[in-house]
Coordinates of all heavy atoms in Angstrom, one line a residue:
M1 N 10.8 14.7 2.7 CA 11.6 14.2 3.8 C 11.7 12.7 3.7 O 10.7 12.0 3.5 CB 10.9 14.6 5.1 CG 11.5 14.1 6.4 SD 10.9 14.7 7.9 CE 9.4 13.8 8.0
K2 N 12.9 12.2 3.9 CA 13.2 10.7 3.8 C 12.8 10.0 5.1 O 13.1 10.5 6.2 CB 14.6 10.5 3.5 CG 14.9 9.1 3.2 CD 16.4 8.9 2.8 CE 16.5 7.4 2.5 NZ 17.7 6.8 2.5
L3 N 12.1 8.9 4.9 CA 11.7 8.1 6.1 C 12.8 7.3 6.6 O 13.6 6.8 5.8 CB 10.5 7.2 5.7 CG 9.2 7.9 5.2 CD1 8.2 6.8 4.8 CD2 8.7 8.8 6.3
N4 N 12.9 7.1 7.9 CA 13.9 6.2 8.4 C 13.4 4.8 8.2 O 12.2 4.6 7.9 CB 14.3 6.5 9.9 CG 13.1 6.2 10.8 OD1 12.4 5.3 10.8 ND2 13.0 7.1 11.8
P5 N 14.2 3.7 8.4 CA 13.8 2.3 8.2 C 12.5 1.9 8.9 O 11.6 1.3 8.4 CB 15.0 1.5 8.6 CG 16.1 2.4 8.4 CD 15.6 3.8 8.7
F6 N 12.4 2.4 10.2 CA 11.2 2.0 11.0 C 10.0 2.7 10.4 O 8.9 2.1 10.3 CB 11.4 2.3 12.5 CG 10.3 1.9 13.3 CD1 10.0 0.5 13.5 CD2 9.5 2.8 14.0 CE1 9.0 0.1 14.3 CE2 8.4 2.4 14.8 CZ 8.2 1.0 14.9
E7 N 10.1 4.0 10.1 CA 8.9 4.7 9.5 C 8.5 4.0 8.2 O 7.3 3.9 7.9 CB 9.3 6.1 9.3 CG 9.5 6.9 10.6 CD 10.1 8.3 10.3 OE1 10.9 8.5 9.4 OE2 9.7 9.2 11.1
S8 N 9.5 3.6 7.4 CA 9.2 2.9 6.1 C 8.4 1.6 6.4 O 7.4 1.3 5.7 CB 10.4 2.6 5.3 OG 11.0 3.8 4.9
F9 N 8.9 0.9 7.4 CA 8.3 -0.4 7.8 C 6.8 -0.1 8.2 O 5.9 -0.8 7.7 CB 9.0 -1.0 8.9 CG 8.3 -2.1 9.6 CD1 8.2 -3.4 9.0 CD2 7.7 -1.9 10.8 CE1 7.5 -4.4 9.6 CE2 7.0 -2.9 11.5 CZ 6.9 -4.2 10.9
L10 N 6.6 0.8 9.0 CA 5.2 1.1 9.4 C 4.3 1.6 8.3 O 3.2 1.2 8.2 CB 5.2 2.2 10.5 CG 5.8 1.8 11.9 CD1 5.8 3.1 12.8 CD2 5.0 0.7 12.5
K11 N 4.9 2.4 7.4 CA 4.1 2.9 6.2 C 3.7 1.7 5.3 O 2.7 1.7 4.7 CB 4.9 3.9 5.5 CG 4.1 4.6 4.4 CD 4.5 6.0 4.2 CE 3.8 6.7 3.1 NZ 2.5 7.2 3.5
N12 N 4.6 0.7 5.2 CA 4.3 -0.4 4.3 C 3.3 -1.4 4.9 O 2.8 -2.3 4.2 CB 5.6 -1.1 4.0 CG 6.5 -0.3 3.0 OD1 5.9 0.4 2.2 ND2 7.8 -0.4 3.2
I13 N 3.0 -1.3 6.2 CA 2.0 -2.2 6.8 C 0.6 -2.0 6.2 O -0.1 -2.9 5.9 CB 2.0 -2.1 8.3 CG1 3.3 -2.6 8.9 CG2 0.8 -2.8 8.9 CD1 3.4 -2.4 10.4
S14 N 0.3 -0.7 6.0 CA -1.1 -0.4 5.5 C -1.1 1.0 4.9 O -0.4 1.9 5.5 CB -2.1 -0.5 6.7 OG -3.3 -0.1 6.3
E15 N -1.8 1.2 3.9 CA -2.0 2.5 3.3 C -3.0 3.3 4.1 O -3.0 4.5 4.0 CB -2.5 2.4 1.8 CG -1.4 1.9 0.9 CD -0.2 2.9 0.8 OE1 -0.4 4.1 0.7 OE2 0.9 2.4 0.7
T16 N -3.9 2.7 4.8 CA -4.9 3.4 5.6 C -4.5 3.2 7.1 O -3.9 2.3 7.5 CB -6.3 2.8 5.3 OG1 -6.3 1.4 5.7 CG2 -6.7 3.0 3.9
P17 N -5.0 4.2 7.9 CA -4.7 4.1 9.3 C -5.3 2.8 9.9 O -6.4 2.4 9.5 CB -5.4 5.4 9.9 CG -5.5 6.3 8.7 CD -5.7 5.4 7.5
L18 N -4.5 2.3 10.9 CA -5.0 1.1 11.6 C -5.6 1.5 12.9 O -5.1 2.3 13.6 CB -3.8 0.1 11.8 CG -3.1 -0.4 10.6 CD1 -1.9 -1.2 11.0 CD2 -4.1 -1.2 9.7
L19 N -6.7 0.9 13.2 CA -7.4 1.1 14.5 C -6.9 0.2 15.5 O -7.3 -1.0 15.6 CB -8.9 1.0 14.3 CG -9.5 1.9 13.2 CD1 -11.0 1.6 13.0 CD2 -9.3 3.4 13.6
A20 N -6.0 0.7 16.3 CA -5.3 -0.2 17.3 C -6.0 -0.4 18.6 O -5.8 -1.4 19.2 CB -3.9 0.4 17.6
I21 N -6.9 0.5 18.9 CA -7.6 0.4 20.2 C -8.9 -0.5 20.0 O -9.1 -1.5 20.7 CB -8.0 1.8 20.7 CG1 -6.8 2.6 20.9 CG2 -8.8 1.6 22.0 CD1 -5.8 2.2 21.9
D22 N -9.8 0.0 19.2 CA -11.1 -0.7 19.0 C -11.7 -0.2 17.7 O -11.8 1.0 17.4 CB -12.0 -0.3 20.2 CG -13.4 -1.0 20.2 OD1 -13.8 -1.5 19.1 OD2 -14.0 -1.0 21.2
K23 N -12.1 -1.2 16.9 CA -12.6 -0.8 15.5 C -13.9 0.0 15.6 O -14.3 0.7 14.7 CB -12.9 -2.1 14.7 CG -11.6 -2.7 14.3 CD -11.9 -4.0 13.4 CE -10.6 -4.6 13.0 NZ -10.8 -5.8 12.2
K24 N -14.6 -0.1 16.8 CA -15.8 0.7 17.0 C -15.6 2.2 17.2 O -16.5 3.0 17.1 CB -16.6 0.1 18.2 CG -17.1 -1.3 17.9 CD -17.7 -1.8 19.2 CE -18.0 -3.3 19.0 NZ -18.2 -4.0 20.3
I25 N -14.3 2.5 17.6 CA -14.0 3.9 17.8 C -13.5 4.5 16.5 O -12.4 4.2 16.0 CB -12.9 4.1 18.9 CG1 -13.4 3.5 20.2 CG2 -12.6 5.6 19.1 CD1 -12.4 3.4 21.3
H26 N -14.3 5.4 15.9 CA -13.9 6.0 14.6 C -12.7 6.9 14.7 O -12.4 7.5 15.8 CB -15.1 6.8 14.1 CG -14.9 7.2 12.6 ND1 -14.3 8.4 12.3 CD2 -15.3 6.6 11.5 CE1 -14.3 8.5 10.9 NE2 -14.9 7.4 10.5
L27 N -11.9 7.0 13.7 CA -10.7 7.9 13.7 C -11.0 9.3 14.0 O -10.1 10.0 14.6 CB -10.0 7.9 12.3 CG -9.2 6.6 12.0 CD1 -8.7 6.6 10.6 CD2 -8.1 6.4 13.0
S28 N -12.2 9.8 13.8 CA -12.6 11.2 14.2 C -12.6 11.4 15.7 O -12.7 12.5 16.1 CB -13.9 11.6 13.5 OG -14.9 10.8 14.0
S29 N -12.6 10.3 16.4 CA -12.6 10.3 17.9 C -11.2 10.3 18.5 O -11.1 10.3 19.7 CB -13.4 9.2 18.5 OG -14.8 9.3 18.2
Y30 N -10.2 10.3 17.6 CA -8.8 10.4 18.1 C -8.3 11.8 18.1 O -8.7 12.6 17.2 CB -7.9 9.5 17.1 CG -8.0 8.0 17.3 CD1 -9.2 7.4 17.1 CD2 -6.9 7.3 17.6 CE1 -9.3 6.0 17.3 CE2 -7.0 5.9 17.8 CZ -8.2 5.3 17.6 OH -8.3 3.9 17.7
V31 N -7.4 12.1 19.0 CA -6.9 13.5 19.1 C -5.4 13.3 19.5 O -5.1 12.6 20.4 CB -7.6 14.4 20.0 CG1 -7.6 13.9 21.5 CG2 -7.1 15.8 20.0
P32 N -4.5 14.1 18.9 CA -3.1 14.1 19.3 C -3.0 14.8 20.6 O -3.7 15.8 20.9 CB -2.3 14.8 18.2 CG -3.4 15.6 17.5 CD -4.7 14.9 17.7
I33 N -2.0 14.3 21.4 CA -1.8 14.9 22.7 C -0.3 15.2 22.8 O 0.6 14.4 22.4 CB -2.3 14.1 23.9 CG1 -2.2 14.8 25.2 CG2 -1.6 12.7 23.9 CD1 -2.9 14.1 26.4
N34 N 0.1 16.4 23.3 CA 1.5 16.8 23.5 C 1.8 16.6 25.0 O 1.3 17.3 25.8 CB 1.7 18.2 23.1 CG 3.0 18.7 23.4 OD1 3.9 18.0 23.8 ND2 3.3 20.0 23.2
I35 N 2.6 15.6 25.3 CA 3.1 15.4 26.7 C 4.6 15.7 26.8 O 5.2 15.1 27.7 CB 2.7 14.1 27.3 CG1 3.2 12.9 26.6 CG2 1.1 14.0 27.4 CD1 3.0 11.6 27.3
S36 N 5.1 16.5 25.9 CA 6.5 16.9 26.0 C 6.6 18.1 26.9 O 5.6 18.7 27.3 CB 7.1 17.2 24.6 OG 6.6 18.5 24.2
N37 N 7.9 18.4 27.3 CA 8.1 19.5 28.2 C 7.7 20.9 27.6 O 7.8 21.9 28.3 CB 9.5 19.5 28.8 CG 10.5 19.8 27.7 OD1 10.2 19.9 26.5 ND2 11.8 19.7 28.1
T38 N 7.3 21.0 26.3 CA 6.8 22.2 25.7 C 5.4 22.5 26.1 O 4.9 23.6 25.9 CB 7.0 22.2 24.2 OG1 6.2 21.2 23.7 CG2 8.4 22.0 23.8
N39 N 4.7 21.5 26.7 CA 3.3 21.7 27.0 C 3.2 22.3 28.4 O 3.4 21.6 29.4 CB 2.6 20.3 27.0 CG 1.1 20.4 27.3 OD1 0.6 21.4 27.8 ND2 0.4 19.3 27.1
K40 N 2.9 23.5 28.5 CA 2.8 24.3 29.8 C 1.7 23.7 30.7 O 1.8 23.9 31.9 CB 2.7 25.8 29.6 CG 3.8 26.4 28.7 CD 5.1 26.1 29.3 CE 6.2 26.8 28.4 NZ 7.5 26.1 28.6
D41 N 0.7 23.0 30.2 CA -0.3 22.5 31.1 C 0.3 21.4 32.0 O -0.3 21.2 33.1 CB -1.4 21.8 30.2 CG -2.2 22.7 29.4 OD1 -2.3 23.9 29.8 OD2 -2.9 22.2 28.5
L42 N 1.4 20.9 31.7 CA 2.0 19.8 32.5 C 2.6 20.4 33.8 O 3.0 19.7 34.7 CB 3.1 19.1 31.8 CG 2.6 18.4 30.5 CD1 3.7 17.5 29.9 CD2 1.3 17.5 30.7
L43 N 2.7 21.7 33.9 CA 3.2 22.4 35.1 C 2.1 22.5 36.2 O 2.4 22.8 37.3 CB 3.7 23.8 34.8 CG 4.9 23.9 33.8 CD1 5.2 25.3 33.4 CD2 6.1 23.2 34.3
S44 N 0.9 22.2 35.8 CA -0.2 22.3 36.7 C -0.5 21.1 37.5 O -1.5 21.1 38.3 CB -1.5 22.7 35.9 OG -1.9 21.7 35.0
F45 N 0.2 20.0 37.3 CA 0.0 18.8 38.1 C 1.3 18.0 38.3 O 2.3 18.3 37.7 CB -1.1 17.9 37.5 CG -0.7 17.2 36.2 CD1 -0.2 16.0 36.2 CD2 -0.9 17.8 35.0 CE1 0.2 15.3 35.0 CE2 -0.5 17.2 33.8 CZ 0.0 15.9 33.8
D46 N 1.2 17.1 39.2 CA 2.4 16.3 39.5 C 2.6 15.2 38.5 O 1.8 14.2 38.5 CB 2.2 15.6 40.9 CG 3.3 14.8 41.4 OD1 4.4 14.7 40.7 OD2 3.2 14.1 42.4
V47 N 3.5 15.4 37.6 CA 3.7 14.4 36.5 C 4.3 13.1 37.0 O 4.3 12.1 36.2 CB 4.6 15.0 35.4 CG1 4.0 16.2 34.7 CG2 6.0 15.3 35.9
S48 N 4.6 12.9 38.2 CA 5.1 11.6 38.8 C 3.9 10.8 39.3 O 4.1 9.7 39.7 CB 6.1 11.8 39.8 OG 5.6 12.4 41.0
S49 N 2.7 11.4 39.3 CA 1.5 10.8 39.8 C 0.6 10.2 38.7 O 0.1 10.9 37.9 CB 0.7 11.8 40.6 OG -0.6 11.3 40.9
S50 N 0.4 8.9 38.7 CA -0.4 8.2 37.7 C -1.9 8.7 37.8 O -2.5 8.9 36.8 CB -0.4 6.7 37.8 OG -0.8 6.3 39.1
K51 N -2.3 9.0 39.0 CA -3.7 9.5 39.2 C -3.8 10.9 38.6 O -4.8 11.2 38.0 CB -4.0 9.6 40.7 CG -5.5 9.9 41.0 CD -6.4 8.9 40.4 CE -7.9 9.2 40.7 NZ -8.8 8.4 39.9
D52 N -2.8 11.8 38.8 CA -2.8 13.1 38.2 C -2.8 13.0 36.7 O -3.5 13.8 36.0 CB -1.7 14.0 38.7 CG -1.9 14.5 40.1 OD1 -2.9 14.2 40.7 OD2 -1.0 15.2 40.6
W53 N -2.1 12.0 36.1 CA -2.0 11.8 34.7 C -3.4 11.4 34.2 O -3.9 11.9 33.2 CB -1.0 10.8 34.3 CG 0.3 11.3 34.0 CD1 1.4 11.2 34.8 CD2 0.7 12.1 32.9 NE1 2.5 11.8 34.3 CE2 2.1 12.4 33.1 CE3 0.1 12.6 31.8 CZ2 2.8 13.2 32.2 CZ3 0.8 13.4 30.9 CH2 2.2 13.7 31.1
E54 N -4.0 10.5 34.9 CA -5.4 10.0 34.6 C -6.3 11.2 34.5 O -7.1 11.4 33.6 CB -5.9 9.0 35.6 CG -7.2 8.4 35.3 CD -7.7 7.4 36.3 OE1 -6.9 7.1 37.2 OE2 -8.9 7.0 36.2
N55 N -6.3 12.0 35.6 CA -7.2 13.2 35.6 C -6.9 14.2 34.5 O -7.8 14.7 33.8 CB -7.1 13.9 36.9 CG -7.6 13.1 38.1 OD1 -8.4 12.2 37.9 ND2 -7.1 13.3 39.3
Y56 N -5.6 14.4 34.2 CA -5.3 15.3 33.1 C -5.8 14.8 31.8 O -6.4 15.5 31.0 CB -3.7 15.5 33.1 CG -3.3 16.3 31.8 CD1 -3.5 17.6 31.7 CD2 -2.7 15.6 30.8 CE1 -3.2 18.4 30.6 CE2 -2.3 16.3 29.6 CZ -2.5 17.7 29.6 OH -2.2 18.4 28.4
I57 N -5.5 13.5 31.5 CA -5.9 13.0 30.2 C -7.4 12.9 30.0 O -8.0 13.2 29.0 CB -5.3 11.6 29.9 CG1 -3.7 11.8 29.8 CG2 -5.8 10.9 28.7 CD1 -2.9 10.5 29.8
E58 N -8.1 12.5 31.1 CA -9.6 12.5 31.0 C -10.1 13.9 30.8 O -11.1 14.1 30.0 CB -10.2 12.0 32.3 CG -10.0 10.4 32.4 CD -10.6 9.9 33.7 OE1 -11.1 10.6 34.6 OE2 -10.5 8.6 33.8
A59 N -9.6 14.9 31.5 CA -10.0 16.3 31.2 C -9.7 16.8 29.8 O -10.5 17.5 29.2 CB -9.4 17.3 32.3
F60 N -8.5 16.4 29.3 CA -8.1 16.8 28.0 C -9.1 16.2 27.0 O -9.5 16.9 26.0 CB -6.7 16.2 27.7 CG -6.2 16.4 26.3 CD1 -5.7 17.7 25.9 CD2 -6.2 15.4 25.4 CE1 -5.3 17.9 24.6 CE2 -5.8 15.6 24.1 CZ -5.3 16.8 23.7
L61 N -9.4 14.9 27.1 CA -10.3 14.2 26.2 C -11.7 14.9 26.2 O -12.4 15.1 25.2 CB -10.4 12.7 26.5 CG -9.2 11.9 26.1 CD1 -9.3 10.5 26.7 CD2 -9.0 11.9 24.6
K62 N -12.2 15.2 27.4 CA -13.5 15.9 27.6 C -13.5 17.2 26.9 O -14.4 17.6 26.2 CB -13.8 16.0 29.0 CG -15.2 16.5 29.3 CD -15.6 16.5 30.8 CE -17.0 17.0 30.9 NZ -17.4 16.9 32.3
K63 N -12.4 18.0 27.1 CA -12.3 19.3 26.5 C -12.3 19.2 25.0 O -12.9 20.0 24.3 CB -11.0 20.0 27.0 CG -10.8 21.4 26.4 CD -9.5 22.0 26.9 CE -8.4 21.4 26.0 NZ -7.1 22.0 26.1
E64 N -11.6 18.2 24.4 CA -11.5 18.0 23.0 C -12.7 17.3 22.4 O -12.8 17.2 21.2 CB -10.2 17.3 22.6 CG -8.9 18.0 23.0 CD -8.7 19.3 22.2 OE1 -9.1 19.3 21.0 OE2 -8.2 20.2 22.8
N65 N -13.6 16.8 23.3 CA -14.7 16.0 22.9 C -14.3 14.8 22.0 O -14.8 14.5 21.0 CB -15.8 16.8 22.1 CG -17.1 16.1 22.0 OD1 -17.4 15.3 22.9 ND2 -17.9 16.5 21.0
K66 N -13.3 14.0 22.5 CA -12.7 12.9 21.9 C -12.7 11.7 22.8 O -12.9 11.9 24.0 CB -11.3 13.2 21.3 CG -11.2 14.4 20.4 CD -11.9 14.1 19.1 CE -11.7 15.3 18.2 NZ -12.3 15.1 16.9
H67 N -12.3 10.5 22.3 CA -12.3 9.3 23.1 C -10.9 8.7 23.3 O -10.6 8.0 24.2 CB -13.2 8.2 22.5 CG -14.6 8.6 22.6 ND1 -15.3 9.2 21.5 CD2 -15.5 8.5 23.6 CE1 -16.5 9.4 21.9 NE2 -16.7 9.0 23.1
V68 N -10.0 9.0 22.4 CA -8.6 8.4 22.4 C -7.6 9.5 22.1 O -7.7 10.3 21.2 CB -8.5 7.3 21.3 CG1 -7.0 6.8 21.3 CG2 -9.5 6.2 21.5
A69 N -6.6 9.6 23.0 CA -5.5 10.6 22.8 C -4.3 9.7 22.4 O -4.0 8.7 23.0 CB -5.2 11.3 24.1
Y70 N -3.6 10.2 21.4 CA -2.4 9.5 21.0 C -1.2 10.5 20.9 O -1.4 11.7 20.8 CB -2.6 8.8 19.7 CG -2.8 9.7 18.5 CD1 -1.8 10.1 17.7 CD2 -4.1 10.2 18.2 CE1 -2.0 11.0 16.7 CE2 -4.3 11.1 17.2 CZ -3.3 11.5 16.4 OH -3.5 12.3 15.3
G71 N 0.0 9.9 20.9 CA 1.2 10.7 20.8 C 2.0 10.5 22.0 O 2.1 9.4 22.6
G72 N 2.7 11.6 22.4 CA 3.5 11.5 23.6 C 4.9 10.9 23.3 O 5.5 10.3 24.2
Y73 N 5.3 11.0 22.1 CA 6.6 10.4 21.7 C 7.8 11.0 22.4 O 8.9 10.4 22.3 CB 6.7 10.4 20.2 CG 5.5 9.9 19.6 CD1 4.6 10.7 18.9 CD2 5.1 8.5 19.7 CE1 3.4 10.3 18.4 CE2 4.0 8.0 19.1 CZ 3.1 8.9 18.4 OH 2.0 8.4 17.9
L74 N 7.7 12.1 23.0 CA 8.8 12.8 23.6 C 8.7 12.8 25.2 O 9.3 13.6 25.8 CB 8.9 14.3 23.2 CG 9.1 14.4 21.6 CD1 9.0 15.9 21.3 CD2 10.3 13.8 21.1
E75 N 8.0 11.8 25.7 CA 7.7 11.8 27.1 C 9.0 11.6 27.9 O 9.0 12.0 29.1 CB 6.7 10.7 27.5 CG 7.3 9.3 27.3 CD 7.0 8.7 26.0 OE1 6.2 9.2 25.2 OE2 7.7 7.8 25.6
K76 N 10.1 11.2 27.4 CA 11.3 11.0 28.2 C 11.7 12.4 28.7 O 12.3 12.5 29.7 CB 12.4 10.3 27.4 CG 13.3 11.2 26.5 CD 14.4 10.5 25.9 CE 15.1 11.4 25.1 NZ 16.2 10.8 24.3
E77 N 11.4 13.5 28.0 CA 11.7 14.8 28.5 C 11.1 15.1 29.8 O 11.6 15.7 30.7 CB 11.3 15.9 27.4 CG 12.1 15.8 26.1 CD 11.6 16.8 25.1 OE1 10.7 17.6 25.4 OE2 12.1 16.8 24.0
I78 N 9.8 14.6 30.0 CA 9.1 14.8 31.2 C 9.8 14.1 32.3 O 10.1 14.7 33.4 CB 7.7 14.3 31.1 CG1 6.9 15.2 30.1 CG2 7.0 14.3 32.5 CD1 5.5 14.7 29.8
Y79 N 10.2 12.9 32.1 CA 10.8 12.1 33.1 C 12.2 12.6 33.5 O 12.6 12.6 34.6 CB 10.9 10.6 32.7 CG 9.6 10.0 32.5 CD1 9.2 9.5 31.3 CD2 8.6 10.0 33.5 CE1 7.9 9.0 31.1 CE2 7.3 9.5 33.3 CZ 7.0 9.0 32.1 OH 5.8 8.5 31.9
M80 N 12.9 13.2 32.5 CA 14.2 13.8 32.7 C 14.0 15.0 33.6 O 14.8 15.2 34.6 CB 14.9 14.2 31.4 CG 15.2 13.0 30.5 SD 16.4 12.0 31.1 CE 17.8 12.9 30.7
T81 N 13.0 15.8 33.4 CA 12.7 17.0 34.2 C 12.4 16.5 35.6 O 12.8 17.1 36.6 CB 11.5 17.8 33.6 OG1 11.9 18.2 32.3 CG2 11.2 19.0 34.5
E82 N 11.5 15.5 35.7 CA 11.1 15.0 37.0 C 12.3 14.5 37.8 O 12.5 14.7 39.0 CB 10.1 13.9 36.9 CG 9.4 13.5 38.2 CD 8.6 14.6 38.8 OE1 8.2 15.5 38.1 OE2 8.5 14.5 40.1
V83 N 13.3 13.8 37.2 CA 14.5 13.3 37.8 C 15.3 14.5 38.4 O 15.8 14.5 39.5 CB 15.3 12.5 36.9 CG1 16.7 12.2 37.4 CG2 14.6 11.2 36.6
R84 N 15.4 15.6 37.6 CA 16.1 16.8 38.0 C 15.4 17.4 39.2 O 16.1 17.8 40.2 CB 16.2 17.8 36.9 CG 17.3 17.4 35.9 CD 17.6 18.6 35.0 NE 16.5 19.0 34.2 CZ 16.2 18.5 33.0 NH1 17.0 17.6 32.4 NH2 15.2 19.0 32.3
I85 N 14.1 17.4 39.2 CA 13.4 18.0 40.4 C 13.6 17.2 41.6 O 13.9 17.7 42.7 CB 11.9 18.1 40.1 CG1 11.6 19.1 39.0 CG2 11.1 18.4 41.3 CD1 10.2 19.2 38.4
L86 N 13.6 15.8 41.5 CA 13.8 15.0 42.6 C 15.2 15.0 43.2 O 15.3 14.8 44.4 CB 13.4 13.5 42.2 CG 12.0 13.2 41.9 CD1 11.8 11.8 41.4 CD2 11.1 13.5 43.1
K87 N 16.2 15.4 42.4 CA 17.5 15.4 42.9 C 17.8 16.7 43.6 O 18.8 16.8 44.4 CB 18.5 15.3 41.7 CG 18.6 13.9 41.1 CD 19.6 13.9 40.0 CE 19.8 12.5 39.5 NZ 20.7 12.4 38.4
I88 N 17.0 17.7 43.4 CA 17.2 19.1 44.1 C 16.9 19.0 45.5 O 16.2 18.4 46.1 CB 16.4 20.2 43.4 CG1 16.9 20.3 41.9 CG2 16.4 21.5 44.1 CD1 16.1 21.3 41.1

């Protein structure tokens, strides 16, 4: 698969993963999180509430026994869904 220019730029920064949060947190403590509209868990709370998001992410990290969740690159789908709900 061919990388787009931004992906190439990022890949050229470092051959090894960069610890963006804290060097004391080992990579094994990171876990990917899916916050796209394909994640059915998101139906169980109010996605427009920052407090509900905090609770969801804390519970997710605890369940996975990790310290950092990363990802969420498709979050605009959630907001699009929320906008449709609010218009109804």
Side-chain angles (χ1 to χ4, degrees):
M1 178 170 74
K2 186 174 184 204
L3 300 176
N4 68 41
F6 184 66
E7 291 169 327
S8 294
F9 167 76
L10 291 176
K11 186 148 181 81
N12 288 325
I13 290 174
S14 176
E15 288 294 319
T16 59
L18 299 173
L19 301 173
I21 305 294
D22 185 341
K23 290 181 181 182
K24 296 175 190 164
I25 302 173
H26 192 271
L27 283 176
S28 63
S29 291
Y30 284 61
V31 61
I33 188 169
N34 174 6
I35 61 170
S36 73
N37 64 0
T38 62
N39 181 349
K40 301 304 180 205
D41 291 341
L42 303 185
L43 298 173
S44 66
F45 70 93
D46 179 5
V47 297
S48 69
S49 166
S50 59
K51 187 63 177 169
D52 284 1
W53 272 109
E54 179 181 357
N55 293 337
Y56 171 73
I57 292 170
E58 285 179 358
F60 175 81
L61 289 171
K62 186 174 183 176
K63 180 183 80 167
E64 297 293 325
N65 196 26
K66 303 293 181 178
H67 293 97
V68 178
Y70 67 91
Y73 309 107
L74 301 175
E75 68 272 339
K76 87 175 178 187
E77 293 177 4
I78 292 171
Y79 299 120
M80 298 293 279
T81 301
E82 189 64 25
V83 167
R84 283 194 296 269
I85 292 170
L86 292 173
K87 286 183 179 178
I88 294 175

